[in-house]
Amino acid sequence: MGKESLKASDTGLEAIAQSRTAKKWTVSEGDLRPLQEASKWLLQRHAETNQWTDDDLHWVQEFTHLLRVEKGQDIHAVQRSLIQAKPNSWWDGIQALIDAGEVFAEGVSYGTWSRFVTGKPIRQQTFQAYCHSLGLDWQTLIDCETEDSDPSVPPVEKPDVARIRHNLPARDYLDFIGRETELAQLLSLLSPTSRVHRISLVGIGGIGKTALMLEAAHRCLILNPDTDDLTELRFSVIIFLSAKLNYLHSQGILPRLCPDRTLEDVLRAIAYTLDRPDLLLTELKTQLQLIHHALAQQSTLLLIDNLDTISDLDSVRSFLYDLPATVKVVITSRNQEPADVVISLLPLSKTASCQLIQHHAIQTSRNLSSDQVFTIQHQTAGIPIAITYTLGQLAAGYPLDIVLNRMIKPMADLTRYCFEQSVAPLRGQPAHRLLMAIALFPAPAPRAAIAPIAAVDPAEAIEGLVRLQQLCLIQPQVDHYAMLPLTRDYVQTELTLNPEFTQLAQHRWIDWYVRFCQQAGWQDWQEWGEFSPLDQEWTTLRTILDTCMEQNRYETFSKLWQSLKGYTHTYGYWQERLQWMEWLIQTAEKHQDRVTLVSALFDHARTLTLLNQPSDREQAIDLCNRAWNLTIATEIDLRFNLLIDLASLHIQQQEFAAAQHWLARGEALLQDHAPGSPRQSIQLGYYRAQIALETGAYGQAQRLYSEVLAQAQKSGWQRAVGYTQDWLAQVAIKQGNLIEAERLVQKSLVAAEMNGDRRCLAFCQRSYALLSQAQGNQEQVRHWAELAKESFTRLHMLHEAGEMARLLELTD
């Protein structure tokens, strides 16, 4: 084999200049033709050597090894664009990228082209590519003083690492995906100019600590491919050792045969990599002195994987802190270790996770739809080993739904591999009870709730939560602690193994939220309120209500519902309301609780009224009539609300005479028993105004709505103010008073957004669409109609969503 670089002789340079002139190829960064031709030739030659077809999957799998992009660009992003483009063949897609100047073959650049035409040495294979592109025989062009290779033997390209001693294991992946920022930070810290000597990579098992460490180490082996500049060599020795106890593969967990778990193991790995076994021939104290002296003579990178599982940890820590300045140390650990710099690894972003999933799918020749990719991303929560393991299970033949539902035994191996070593030492300690308590929450747990639910002393809870955070088992948020789904899967098993604790903790969990809702809940369900505390805890509250139904905790459910009624009304959780009211009605009947039964019947009917589905109106009327028959004469407010709801239902059915009948009965009810409250008078006027609007009596509607608005403002009923302003805006649109309509709907929209009323917000978006139509602004019609259609659909108000869909059709 000869040297890996060639340069043109003087006669060769003349031939290159003549051919370049004939092709009109220039030496400028803007002329990409030489790079494009050379790139295609090199790639075609590589394909022929490896017997690839144009649609061979290897084009995608080895994309990042075969091709390069300009600095500042992301090769993985270009790879993703190729996959998403779905070209006729992978080779066609790559050629299109080369033609667009987005990628070139590895080794082909403006720099190498410039060096080639000026007679400077470049790699042999790149030299051949440029010659072929110019139609020249490369063997006749070379400077014989720099070429001593056999032309018949193809060059072998590999980094010159002869000067670097190392014992690095092979990487178990083709492409490094998703940790580019952390990798850049780590490589910067490992540079000769950095004064940092101890770096800790911290995260849960399977988060990618080892992969990041090995990727950085392997990159420290590689020199500049164009210049072979030995000044870029960072270390003369790279030493790797691992205390990892197990390996995880697609069929389960295998024990590691020879983990490095003692100080003696560390010294042995150093001596053998230095090729100095003689350093181990003396007693331990002398060994330490000799190895310290040997390491001081050369730049060394020492890598220790899984430091937290080393048996004599304090001895190894002391050794690491005594190392000379010529040594840089990188450790990985599930626990936060003292270090100059700590890099905490979090789950991959959604984009990086999807990219990694697609990468593994291509490797295993599986075709995954976008929905399947997103489903896997959601289930694996951005944990690399979970992604790799899930794709491995699919490759092994398990169906996707079975794998994602954790219904096979090997998935338990995944969580055990990730968490057993961290959780096992905690058992029997307050931290373990805190961990199990947090696992009860389907969402981040409030800091104030954790200790009482776990039955842990507050002072001990502080220490325990810090410990869990150091182990990366929980993640702190503002006043909350979060837990990754995969962590929760594992801790759920811990809850199963501790049934007595689980039962008591679950009772404390529910009771804590009953007290929370009584303090944070808004008892006036007809008015807007400060619902942000409930909204923050909504995921957990919904789970607790479902748990109360499952466990038949009727009284607890009823208490929670009274606090949540207004919130669920305002925020549009109407499908949940229907499900819960069906259960509450049935259970109240069993308990012969007339008061709760009547209230639940009304809430069920009211929810159906809000949904405004023609198919549900008869059921809503039946529910109101049933509730009416159960009420007693003294329940004036409830009887009035039932009459108002019946009037609203008949308005929806365009049965205005019947609606007027129920409104008249409501007014008579108030007159017979006592003067009504301002709200009841407002409701009567509001629905009479609505009848006027629906029947085209716009002047009457404008007068009635204005009276209602004045009454609502005087009484301070903000919800009525917001809705009435929107209806007045619709009247103004009908009357052609567009300036007034815009003023009114803007006020209503601001109020709806401030108070989170999703139904009012959807109505305002509808009003803006109708206003834009009246103004002749088709672009704004489409904008607001699309927003309104989406909002109504999300609320399951399909009648109104259909109206907006028809309005959109008119703009096409």
Side-chain angles (χ1 to χ4, degrees), residues 52 63 77 135 138 235 246 257 297-298 327 342 465 507 540 557 620 653 675 685 695 739 750:
W52 291 358
F63 187 90
W138 68 274
F235 304 101
N246 301 299
L257 296 179
Q297 308 306 311
Q298 53 209 321
V327 180
V342 175
L465 291 171
H507 280 285
T540 299
F557 183 97
Q653 291 183 314
T695 56
I739 295 176
V750 170

Side-chain angles (χ1 to χ4, degrees), residues 12 15-17 19 116 128 130-138 140-141:
I16 290 170
S19 181
F116 169 74
Q128 292 174 329
Y130 287 139
C131 289
H132 183 274
S133 302
L134 290 169
L136 301 172
D137 181 357
W138 68 274
T140 64
L141 303 182

Side-chain angles (χ1 to χ4, degrees), residues 116-340:
F116 169 74
V117 299
T118 55
K120 296 177 181 177
I122 62 173
R123 287 190 296 180
Q124 179 174 325
Q125 194 165 356
T126 309
F127 186 95
Q128 292 174 329
Y130 287 139
C131 289
H132 183 274
S133 302
L134 290 169
L136 301 172
D137 181 357
W138 68 274
Q139 299 179 58
T140 64
L141 303 182
I142 56 176
D143 185 342
C144 294
E145 294 182 0
T146 64
E147 195 281 322
D148 60 358
S149 62
D150 181 355
S152 65
V153 180
V156 177
E157 295 188 29
K158 59 182 180 181
D160 182 5
V161 297
R163 291 188 53 184
I164 306 176
R165 291 192 298 277
H166 70 89
N167 66 337
L168 289 176
R171 290 166 286 189
D172 59 358
Y173 52 86
L174 288 178
D175 293 312
F176 185 76
I177 296 173
R179 297 281 184 208
E180 287 79 9
T181 300
E182 293 90 342
L183 178 61
Q185 180 185 5
L186 182 54
L187 288 172
S188 176
L189 295 172
L190 294 177
S191 68
T193 58
S194 170
R195 295 185 179 183
V196 171
H197 287 274
R198 287 173 292 273
I199 305 160
S200 177
L201 309 180
V202 179
I204 64 169
I207 202 70
K209 304 182 295 295
T210 306
L212 174 60
M213 180 171 69
L214 287 177
E215 181 67 22
H218 276 279
R219 294 201 183 189
C220 288
L221 294 175
I222 301 173
L223 306 181
N224 186 303
D226 285 337
T227 64
D228 291 343
D229 185 358
L230 296 182
T231 62
E232 293 192 7
L233 230 122
R234 294 173 175 170
F235 304 101
S236 55
V237 181
I238 301 178
I239 304 166
F240 174 85
L241 55 105
S242 176
K244 190 173 290 185
L245 300 176
N246 301 299
Y247 293 115
L248 179 68
H249 67 101
S250 60
Q251 298 305 313
I253 298 175
L254 285 177
R256 191 163 177 266
L257 296 179
C258 298
D260 302 307
R261 301 197 63 207
T262 66
L263 178 59
E264 287 77 6
D265 293 333
V266 174
L267 299 180
R268 187 180 303 109
I270 294 173
Y272 286 173
T273 307
L274 293 176
D275 196 20
R276 292 287 308 278
D278 57 293
L279 299 175
L280 305 174
L281 298 179
T282 60
E283 47 87 25
L284 180 60
K285 183 177 180 179
T286 306
Q287 286 182 38
L288 291 169
Q289 293 173 341
L290 293 173
I291 285 177
H292 189 284
H293 178 74
L295 292 175
Q297 308 306 311
Q298 53 209 321
S299 59
T300 304
L301 175 59
L302 177 59
L303 310 169
I304 303 182
D305 192 28
N306 273 47
L307 180 70
D308 50 306
T309 55
I310 282 183
S311 56
D312 54 344
L313 188 54
D314 287 340
S315 297
V316 174
R317 283 173 176 159
S318 298
F319 171 76
L320 297 180
Y321 268 85
D322 285 338
L323 288 172
T326 55
V327 180
K328 287 186 181 255
V329 179
V330 180
I331 65 167
T332 71
S333 177
R334 304 182 189 209
N335 196 5
Q336 289 190 8
E337 291 288 336
D340 300 335

Side-chain angles (χ1 to χ4, degrees), residues 413-544:
D413 291 333
L414 170 63
T415 56
R416 185 157 58 90
Y417 176 83
C418 291
F419 303 109
E420 176 66 20
Q421 292 175 15
S422 298
V423 174
L426 302 177
R427 294 186 181 114
Q429 300 179 19
H432 188 236
R433 297 201 299 277
L434 294 166
L435 182 67
M436 291 190 290
I438 295 172
L440 292 171
F441 293 78
R447 188 191 307 269
I450 298 170
I453 291 172
V456 171
D457 178 79
E460 292 183 320
I462 294 173
E463 295 298 325
L465 291 171
V466 169
R467 178 69 176 139
L468 296 177
Q469 186 178 337
Q470 290 174 340
L471 290 168
C472 301
L473 293 171
I474 59 174
Q475 295 78 43
Q477 297 181 352
V478 178
D479 297 327
H480 285 69
Y481 282 100
M483 178 180 285
L484 294 174
L486 200 66
T487 313
R488 184 174 288 107
D489 283 351
Y490 181 80
V491 184
Q492 291 288 345
T493 304
E494 297 288 298
L495 286 167
T496 303
L497 296 174
N498 294 271
E500 183 177 353
F501 169 86
T502 301
Q503 183 178 12
L504 293 173
Q506 192 174 67
H507 280 285
R508 293 190 292 264
W509 176 56
I510 294 173
D511 291 343
W512 190 90
Y513 271 100
V514 171
R515 294 190 297 274
F516 170 81
C517 288
Q518 289 172 340
Q519 295 172 2
W522 193 255
Q523 300 302 321
D524 185 356
W525 66 269
Q526 291 183 315
E527 178 60 299
W528 284 332
E530 175 48 55
F531 290 125
S532 56
L534 296 178
D535 195 45
Q536 188 173 20
E537 300 299 320
W538 175 240
T539 300
T540 299
L541 287 168
R542 182 162 47 188
T543 300
I544 285 177

Side-chain angles (χ1 to χ4, degrees), residues 636-677:
I636 305 301
D637 290 345
L638 181 55
R639 291 170 74 85
F640 179 82
N641 286 332
L642 287 167
L643 292 172
I644 288 294
D645 211 38
L646 284 165
S648 177
L649 286 164
H650 284 290
I651 292 172
Q652 290 176 357
Q653 291 183 314
Q654 302 288 295
E655 297 169 354
F656 303 118
Q660 291 282 19
H661 165 75
W662 292 114
L663 291 175
R665 287 192 61 176
E667 187 170 24
L669 177 69
L670 298 179
Q671 290 174 351
D672 290 345
H673 292 83
S677 70

Side-chain angles (χ1 to χ4, degrees), residues 702-724:
Q702 196 273 337
R703 177 179 58 80
L704 289 171
Y705 275 131
S706 296
E707 292 174 358
V708 167
L709 179 60
Q711 288 179 292
Q713 289 172 333
K714 183 178 179 180
S715 67
W717 191 5
Q718 294 305 312
R719 185 173 192 161
V721 170
Y723 275 88
T724 304

